[in-house]
mmCIF file of all heavy atoms in Angstrom:
data_model
loop_
_atom_site.group_PDB
_atom_site.id
_atom_site.type_symbol
_atom_site.label_atom_id
_atom_site.label_comp_id
_atom_site.label_asym_id
_atom_site.label_seq_id
_atom_site.Cartn_x
_atom_site.Cartn_y
_atom_site.Cartn_z
ATOM 1 N N THR A 25 55.433 106.742 86.567
ATOM 2 C CA THR A 25 55.110 106.805 87.994
ATOM 3 C C THR A 25 56.190 107.491 88.770
ATOM 4 O O THR A 25 55.906 108.382 89.616
ATOM 5 C CB THR A 25 54.933 105.360 88.539
ATOM 6 O OG1 THR A 25 53.914 104.689 87.811
ATOM 7 C CG2 THR A 25 54.581 105.401 90.019
ATOM 8 N N LYS A 26 57.448 107.157 88.494
ATOM 9 C CA LYS A 26 58.578 107.801 89.226
ATOM 10 C C LYS A 26 58.626 109.285 88.945
ATOM 11 O O LYS A 26 58.862 110.107 89.868
ATOM 12 C CB LYS A 26 59.867 107.158 88.796
ATOM 13 C CG LYS A 26 61.094 107.712 89.471
ATOM 14 C CD LYS A 26 62.373 107.019 89.038
ATOM 15 C CE LYS A 26 63.592 107.647 89.645
ATOM 16 N NZ LYS A 26 63.839 109.029 89.179
ATOM 17 N N SER A 27 58.437 109.677 87.706
ATOM 18 C CA SER A 27 58.528 111.107 87.349
ATOM 19 C C SER A 27 57.391 111.915 87.952
ATOM 20 O O SER A 27 57.572 113.066 88.368
ATOM 21 C CB SER A 27 58.549 111.300 85.832
ATOM 22 O OG SER A 27 57.344 110.843 85.248
ATOM 23 N N ILE A 28 56.191 111.323 88.060
ATOM 24 C CA ILE A 28 55.057 112.008 88.643
ATOM 25 C C ILE A 28 55.307 112.230 90.132
ATOM 26 O O ILE A 28 55.069 113.293 90.711
ATOM 27 C CB ILE A 28 53.742 111.230 88.439
ATOM 28 C CG1 ILE A 28 53.317 111.378 86.967
ATOM 29 C CG2 ILE A 28 52.649 111.734 89.357
ATOM 30 C CD1 ILE A 28 52.097 110.531 86.622
ATOM 31 N N ILE A 29 55.861 111.214 90.797
ATOM 32 C CA ILE A 29 56.174 111.351 92.236
ATOM 33 C C ILE A 29 57.254 112.422 92.408
ATOM 34 O O ILE A 29 57.161 113.242 93.343
ATOM 35 C CB ILE A 29 56.644 110.000 92.788
ATOM 36 C CG1 ILE A 29 55.487 108.979 92.783
ATOM 37 C CG2 ILE A 29 57.230 110.147 94.212
ATOM 38 C CD1 ILE A 29 55.916 107.568 93.166
ATOM 39 N N PHE A 30 58.243 112.410 91.529
ATOM 40 C CA PHE A 30 59.296 113.409 91.606
ATOM 41 C C PHE A 30 58.728 114.826 91.452
ATOM 42 O O PHE A 30 59.051 115.718 92.249
ATOM 43 C CB PHE A 30 60.337 113.135 90.474
ATOM 44 C CG PHE A 30 61.424 114.190 90.413
ATOM 45 C CD1 PHE A 30 62.476 114.165 91.250
ATOM 46 C CD2 PHE A 30 61.339 115.184 89.420
ATOM 47 C CE1 PHE A 30 63.495 115.138 91.186
ATOM 48 C CE2 PHE A 30 62.328 116.146 89.327
ATOM 49 C CZ PHE A 30 63.400 116.134 90.222
ATOM 50 N N ALA A 31 57.901 115.039 90.437
ATOM 51 C CA ALA A 31 57.337 116.356 90.198
ATOM 52 C C ALA A 31 56.425 116.778 91.364
ATOM 53 O O ALA A 31 56.405 117.962 91.742
ATOM 54 C CB ALA A 31 56.554 116.355 88.898
ATOM 55 N N ALA A 32 55.689 115.813 91.901
ATOM 56 C CA ALA A 32 54.764 116.153 92.997
ATOM 57 C C ALA A 32 55.445 116.555 94.265
ATOM 58 O O ALA A 32 54.836 117.163 95.137
ATOM 59 C CB ALA A 32 53.826 114.938 93.247
ATOM 60 N N THR A 33 56.749 116.213 94.414
ATOM 61 C CA THR A 33 57.472 116.582 95.615
ATOM 62 C C THR A 33 58.337 117.823 95.449
ATOM 63 O O THR A 33 59.124 118.139 96.329
ATOM 64 C CB THR A 33 58.369 115.405 96.036
ATOM 65 O OG1 THR A 33 59.249 115.043 94.949
ATOM 66 C CG2 THR A 33 57.501 114.200 96.432
ATOM 67 N N GLN A 34 58.208 118.497 94.311
ATOM 68 C CA GLN A 34 58.990 119.709 94.060
ATOM 69 C C GLN A 34 58.268 120.933 94.589
ATOM 70 O O GLN A 34 57.174 121.273 94.117
ATOM 71 C CB GLN A 34 59.258 119.887 92.558
ATOM 72 C CG GLN A 34 60.031 118.735 91.937
ATOM 73 C CD GLN A 34 61.353 118.466 92.651
ATOM 74 O OE1 GLN A 34 62.205 119.331 92.792
ATOM 75 N NE2 GLN A 34 61.509 117.256 93.135
ATOM 76 N N GLU A 35 58.834 121.586 95.594
ATOM 77 C CA GLU A 35 58.150 122.711 96.231
ATOM 78 C C GLU A 35 57.965 123.877 95.266
ATOM 79 O O GLU A 35 57.049 124.701 95.435
ATOM 80 C CB GLU A 35 58.970 123.181 97.438
ATOM 81 C CG GLU A 35 60.311 123.755 97.119
ATOM 82 C CD GLU A 35 61.073 124.217 98.356
ATOM 83 O OE1 GLU A 35 60.706 123.820 99.480
ATOM 84 O OE2 GLU A 35 62.064 124.961 98.175
ATOM 85 N N THR A 36 58.799 123.947 94.230
ATOM 86 C CA THR A 36 58.716 125.069 93.258
ATOM 87 C C THR A 36 57.351 125.073 92.600
ATOM 88 O O THR A 36 56.841 126.158 92.265
ATOM 89 C CB THR A 36 59.848 124.983 92.211
ATOM 90 O OG1 THR A 36 61.094 124.918 92.864
ATOM 91 C CG2 THR A 36 59.798 126.176 91.321
ATOM 92 N N VAL A 37 56.795 123.898 92.322
ATOM 93 C CA VAL A 37 55.477 123.832 91.669
ATOM 94 C C VAL A 37 54.436 124.532 92.535
ATOM 95 O O VAL A 37 53.662 125.333 92.040
ATOM 96 C CB VAL A 37 55.075 122.330 91.441
ATOM 97 C CG1 VAL A 37 53.668 122.278 90.868
ATOM 98 C CG2 VAL A 37 56.073 121.677 90.498
ATOM 99 N N TYR A 38 54.424 124.228 93.806
ATOM 100 C CA TYR A 38 53.433 124.806 94.684
ATOM 101 C C TYR A 38 53.733 126.267 95.000
ATOM 102 O O TYR A 38 52.815 127.080 95.118
ATOM 103 C CB TYR A 38 53.386 123.971 95.982
ATOM 104 C CG TYR A 38 53.113 122.508 95.725
ATOM 105 C CD1 TYR A 38 54.146 121.570 95.723
ATOM 106 C CD2 TYR A 38 51.834 122.067 95.409
ATOM 107 C CE1 TYR A 38 53.927 120.245 95.457
ATOM 108 C CE2 TYR A 38 51.586 120.741 95.138
ATOM 109 C CZ TYR A 38 52.638 119.843 95.148
ATOM 110 O OH TYR A 38 52.399 118.503 94.860
ATOM 111 N N ALA A 39 55.009 126.611 95.038
ATOM 112 C CA ALA A 39 55.378 128.015 95.262
ATOM 113 C C ALA A 39 54.928 128.884 94.104
ATOM 114 O O ALA A 39 54.423 129.991 94.324
ATOM 115 C CB ALA A 39 56.900 128.132 95.441
ATOM 116 N N ALA A 40 55.054 128.389 92.898
ATOM 117 C CA ALA A 40 54.630 129.175 91.736
ATOM 118 C C ALA A 40 53.119 129.482 91.786
ATOM 119 O O ALA A 40 52.663 130.568 91.471
ATOM 120 C CB ALA A 40 54.974 128.458 90.427
ATOM 121 N N LEU A 41 52.336 128.458 92.192
ATOM 122 C CA LEU A 41 50.898 128.666 92.305
ATOM 123 C C LEU A 41 50.586 129.658 93.458
ATOM 124 O O LEU A 41 49.668 130.457 93.322
ATOM 125 C CB LEU A 41 50.218 127.314 92.586
ATOM 126 C CG LEU A 41 50.359 126.267 91.500
ATOM 127 C CD1 LEU A 41 49.683 124.959 91.920
ATOM 128 C CD2 LEU A 41 49.756 126.741 90.165
ATOM 129 N N ALA A 42 51.372 129.574 94.508
ATOM 130 C CA ALA A 42 51.164 130.508 95.624
ATOM 131 C C ALA A 42 51.428 131.955 95.178
ATOM 132 O O ALA A 42 50.778 132.905 95.620
ATOM 133 C CB ALA A 42 52.069 130.142 96.792
ATOM 134 N N PHE A 43 52.391 132.146 94.278
ATOM 135 C CA PHE A 43 52.666 133.479 93.797
ATOM 136 C C PHE A 43 51.565 134.015 92.898
ATOM 137 O O PHE A 43 51.290 135.209 92.872
ATOM 138 C CB PHE A 43 54.027 133.498 93.039
ATOM 139 C CG PHE A 43 55.197 133.704 93.937
ATOM 140 C CD1 PHE A 43 55.985 132.640 94.324
ATOM 141 C CD2 PHE A 43 55.486 134.958 94.462
ATOM 142 C CE1 PHE A 43 57.053 132.827 95.167
ATOM 143 C CE2 PHE A 43 56.552 135.145 95.316
ATOM 144 C CZ PHE A 43 57.356 134.068 95.681
ATOM 145 N N VAL A 44 50.942 133.115 92.139
ATOM 146 C CA VAL A 44 49.778 133.554 91.343
ATOM 147 C C VAL A 44 48.684 134.073 92.259
ATOM 148 O O VAL A 44 48.067 135.130 92.040
ATOM 149 C CB VAL A 44 49.252 132.359 90.512
ATOM 150 C CG1 VAL A 44 47.938 132.755 89.815
ATOM 151 C CG2 VAL A 44 50.300 131.949 89.460
ATOM 152 N N PHE A 45 48.414 133.349 93.358
ATOM 153 C CA PHE A 45 47.397 133.761 94.301
ATOM 154 C C PHE A 45 47.798 135.075 95.012
ATOM 155 O O PHE A 45 46.991 135.967 95.226
ATOM 156 C CB PHE A 45 47.126 132.690 95.317
ATOM 157 C CG PHE A 45 46.032 133.027 96.309
ATOM 158 C CD1 PHE A 45 44.705 133.017 95.900
ATOM 159 C CD2 PHE A 45 46.335 133.298 97.594
ATOM 160 C CE1 PHE A 45 43.690 133.332 96.789
ATOM 161 C CE2 PHE A 45 45.328 133.638 98.527
ATOM 162 C CZ PHE A 45 43.987 133.617 98.109
ATOM 163 N N MET A 46 49.080 135.183 95.369
ATOM 164 C CA MET A 46 49.577 136.347 96.024
ATOM 165 C C MET A 46 49.353 137.602 95.191
ATOM 166 O O MET A 46 48.850 138.646 95.651
ATOM 167 C CB MET A 46 51.083 136.237 96.320
ATOM 168 C CG MET A 46 51.743 137.395 96.994
ATOM 169 S SD MET A 46 53.519 137.461 96.683
ATOM 170 C CE MET A 46 53.561 138.095 94.971
ATOM 171 N N ALA A 47 49.701 137.527 93.895
ATOM 172 C CA ALA A 47 49.534 138.671 93.007
ATOM 173 C C ALA A 47 48.048 139.012 92.833
ATOM 174 O O ALA A 47 47.666 140.201 92.805
ATOM 175 C CB ALA A 47 50.113 138.328 91.642
ATOM 176 N N PHE A 48 47.211 138.006 92.827
ATOM 177 C CA PHE A 48 45.754 138.258 92.722
ATOM 178 C C PHE A 48 45.249 138.993 93.964
ATOM 179 O O PHE A 48 44.500 139.976 93.811
ATOM 180 C CB PHE A 48 45.072 136.890 92.601
ATOM 181 C CG PHE A 48 43.560 136.960 92.589
ATOM 182 C CD1 PHE A 48 42.877 137.364 91.438
ATOM 183 C CD2 PHE A 48 42.818 136.642 93.724
ATOM 184 C CE1 PHE A 48 41.495 137.446 91.417
ATOM 185 C CE2 PHE A 48 41.442 136.714 93.696
ATOM 186 C CZ PHE A 48 40.783 137.112 92.554
ATOM 187 N N VAL A 49 45.659 138.585 95.133
ATOM 188 C CA VAL A 49 45.184 139.216 96.384
ATOM 189 C C VAL A 49 45.719 140.639 96.471
ATOM 190 O O VAL A 49 44.993 141.574 96.864
ATOM 191 C CB VAL A 49 45.619 138.386 97.589
ATOM 192 C CG1 VAL A 49 45.289 139.143 98.904
ATOM 193 C CG2 VAL A 49 44.950 136.997 97.603
ATOM 194 N N MET A 50 47.002 140.846 96.111
ATOM 195 C CA MET A 50 47.588 142.195 96.199
ATOM 196 C C MET A 50 46.849 143.138 95.271
ATOM 197 O O MET A 50 46.668 144.334 95.611
ATOM 198 C CB MET A 50 49.080 142.112 95.786
ATOM 199 C CG MET A 50 49.973 141.484 96.822
ATOM 200 S SD MET A 50 51.674 141.280 96.258
ATOM 201 C CE MET A 50 52.169 143.019 96.061
ATOM 202 N N THR A 51 46.418 142.672 94.130
ATOM 203 C CA THR A 51 45.684 143.501 93.205
ATOM 204 C C THR A 51 44.281 143.810 93.689
ATOM 205 O O THR A 51 43.810 144.961 93.666
ATOM 206 C CB THR A 51 45.611 142.850 91.808
ATOM 207 O OG1 THR A 51 46.935 142.608 91.332
ATOM 208 C CG2 THR A 51 44.918 143.750 90.797
ATOM 209 N N LYS A 52 43.588 142.754 94.161
ATOM 210 C CA LYS A 52 42.199 142.914 94.572
ATOM 211 C C LYS A 52 42.054 143.823 95.778
ATOM 212 O O LYS A 52 41.036 144.505 95.936
ATOM 213 C CB LYS A 52 41.602 141.536 94.863
ATOM 214 C CG LYS A 52 41.265 140.704 93.610
ATOM 215 C CD LYS A 52 40.176 141.378 92.778
ATOM 216 C CE LYS A 52 39.815 140.527 91.607
ATOM 217 N NZ LYS A 52 38.729 141.175 90.775
ATOM 218 N N THR A 53 43.036 143.815 96.666
ATOM 219 C CA THR A 53 42.956 144.648 97.872
ATOM 220 C C THR A 53 43.430 146.053 97.664
ATOM 221 O O THR A 53 43.313 146.898 98.550
ATOM 222 C CB THR A 53 43.756 144.016 98.994
ATOM 223 O OG1 THR A 53 45.130 143.888 98.603
ATOM 224 C CG2 THR A 53 43.200 142.661 99.399
ATOM 225 N N GLY A 54 44.003 146.337 96.462
ATOM 226 C CA GLY A 54 44.510 147.644 96.177
ATOM 227 C C GLY A 54 45.885 147.922 96.793
ATOM 228 O O GLY A 54 46.409 149.045 96.663
ATOM 229 N N LEU A 55 46.456 146.890 97.396
ATOM 230 C CA LEU A 55 47.800 147.096 98.022
ATOM 231 C C LEU A 55 48.828 147.509 96.974
ATOM 232 O O LEU A 55 49.678 148.334 97.244
ATOM 233 C CB LEU A 55 48.225 145.789 98.728
ATOM 234 C CG LEU A 55 49.546 145.808 99.465
ATOM 235 C CD1 LEU A 55 49.492 144.904 100.683
ATOM 236 C CD2 LEU A 55 50.741 145.378 98.593
ATOM 237 N N VAL A 56 48.747 146.925 95.785
ATOM 238 C CA VAL A 56 49.716 147.266 94.716
ATOM 239 C C VAL A 56 49.699 148.751 94.442
ATOM 240 O O VAL A 56 50.756 149.388 94.377
ATOM 241 C CB VAL A 56 49.404 146.467 93.438
ATOM 242 C CG1 VAL A 56 50.163 147.039 92.265
ATOM 243 C CG2 VAL A 56 49.726 144.995 93.638
ATOM 244 N N ASN A 57 48.527 149.303 94.262
ATOM 245 C CA ASN A 57 48.437 150.755 93.949
ATOM 246 C C ASN A 57 49.024 151.617 95.033
ATOM 247 O O ASN A 57 49.717 152.584 94.765
ATOM 248 C CB ASN A 57 46.961 151.142 93.742
ATOM 249 C CG ASN A 57 46.393 150.453 92.491
ATOM 250 O OD1 ASN A 57 47.131 150.182 91.556
ATOM 251 N ND2 ASN A 57 45.117 150.223 92.487
ATOM 252 N N ARG A 58 48.757 151.274 96.300
ATOM 253 C CA ARG A 58 49.293 152.122 97.418
ATOM 254 C C ARG A 58 50.793 151.997 97.503
ATOM 255 O O ARG A 58 51.499 152.987 97.728
ATOM 256 C CB ARG A 58 48.631 151.652 98.710
ATOM 257 C CG ARG A 58 47.130 151.964 98.749
ATOM 258 C CD ARG A 58 46.526 151.670 100.108
ATOM 259 N NE ARG A 58 46.411 150.237 100.390
ATOM 260 C CZ ARG A 58 45.467 149.456 99.935
ATOM 261 N NH1 ARG A 58 44.522 149.925 99.150
ATOM 262 N NH2 ARG A 58 45.430 148.150 100.252
ATOM 263 N N MET A 59 51.329 150.796 97.279
ATOM 264 C CA MET A 59 52.772 150.612 97.343
ATOM 265 C C MET A 59 53.450 151.326 96.151
ATOM 266 O O MET A 59 54.512 152.003 96.324
ATOM 267 C CB MET A 59 53.135 149.121 97.296
ATOM 268 C CG MET A 59 54.615 148.821 97.304
ATOM 269 S SD MET A 59 54.957 147.075 96.996
ATOM 270 C CE MET A 59 54.479 146.899 95.303
ATOM 271 N N VAL A 60 52.877 151.190 94.974
ATOM 272 C CA VAL A 60 53.456 151.813 93.784
ATOM 273 C C VAL A 60 53.452 153.332 93.902
ATOM 274 O O VAL A 60 54.374 154.030 93.468
ATOM 275 C CB VAL A 60 52.705 151.336 92.536
ATOM 276 C CG1 VAL A 60 53.065 152.191 91.315
ATOM 277 C CG2 VAL A 60 53.036 149.881 92.240
ATOM 278 N N ASP A 61 52.432 153.912 94.524
ATOM 279 C CA ASP A 61 52.373 155.380 94.728
ATOM 280 C C ASP A 61 53.577 155.828 95.501
ATOM 281 O O ASP A 61 54.210 156.861 95.216
ATOM 282 C CB ASP A 61 51.104 155.782 95.440
ATOM 283 C CG ASP A 61 49.883 155.817 94.519
ATOM 284 O OD1 ASP A 61 50.096 155.820 93.284
ATOM 285 O OD2 ASP A 61 48.754 155.821 95.004
ATOM 286 N N ILE A 62 53.957 155.061 96.557
ATOM 287 C CA ILE A 62 55.099 155.426 97.377
ATOM 288 C C ILE A 62 56.402 155.318 96.580
ATOM 289 O O ILE A 62 57.236 156.203 96.608
ATOM 290 C CB ILE A 62 55.142 154.498 98.645
ATOM 291 C CG1 ILE A 62 53.941 154.788 99.539
ATOM 292 C CG2 ILE A 62 56.445 154.788 99.421
ATOM 293 C CD1 ILE A 62 53.810 153.813 100.701
ATOM 294 N N LEU A 63 56.548 154.198 95.854
ATOM 295 C CA LEU A 63 57.770 153.996 95.076
ATOM 296 C C LEU A 63 57.918 155.070 93.983
ATOM 297 O O LEU A 63 59.015 155.565 93.710
ATOM 298 C CB LEU A 63 57.776 152.583 94.463
ATOM 299 C CG LEU A 63 57.829 151.455 95.458
ATOM 300 C CD1 LEU A 63 57.644 150.104 94.764
ATOM 301 C CD2 LEU A 63 59.137 151.452 96.228
ATOM 302 N N ASN A 64 56.816 155.408 93.340
ATOM 303 C CA ASN A 64 56.873 156.423 92.304
ATOM 304 C C ASN A 64 57.176 157.800 92.847
ATOM 305 O O ASN A 64 57.735 158.662 92.156
ATOM 306 C CB ASN A 64 55.559 156.455 91.502
ATOM 307 C CG ASN A 64 55.493 155.334 90.475
ATOM 308 O OD1 ASN A 64 56.515 154.822 90.035
ATOM 309 N ND2 ASN A 64 54.278 154.934 90.112
ATOM 310 N N SER A 65 56.806 158.040 94.113
ATOM 311 C CA SER A 65 57.136 159.337 94.716
ATOM 312 C C SER A 65 58.628 159.515 94.866
ATOM 313 O O SER A 65 59.110 160.646 94.953
ATOM 314 C CB SER A 65 56.469 159.419 96.130
ATOM 315 O OG SER A 65 55.053 159.446 96.033
ATOM 316 N N THR A 66 59.358 158.390 94.920
ATOM 317 C CA THR A 66 60.830 158.510 95.064
ATOM 318 C C THR A 66 61.562 158.453 93.752
ATOM 319 O O THR A 66 62.534 159.175 93.543
ATOM 320 C CB THR A 66 61.334 157.365 95.950
ATOM 321 O OG1 THR A 66 60.950 156.098 95.359
ATOM 322 C CG2 THR A 66 60.682 157.452 97.342
#
């Protein structure tokens, strides 16, 4: 019980899931391709 409460209060768990969603959205909207084109130009 104590360890579950401890894990449930760790912001890193939720942040990691948010990054999964972020990468998904960046890919689906094509933002990644447009940003990478600029970086590769340099």
Side-chain angles (χ1 to χ4, degrees):
T25 302
K26 179 179 177 295
S27 64
I28 287 175
I29 293 173
F30 175 79
T33 56
Q34 300 304 303
E35 65 179 17
T36 305
V37 175
Y38 304 101
L41 298 177
F43 273 102
V44 173
F45 183 72
M46 179 203 77
F48 176 77
V49 173
M50 287 174 65
T51 302
K52 286 294 183 180
T53 58
L55 183 147
V56 166
N57 292 333
R58 293 186 289 280
M59 178 189 69
V60 167
D61 281 345
I62 295 172
L63 295 173
N64 281 336
S65 294
T66 58

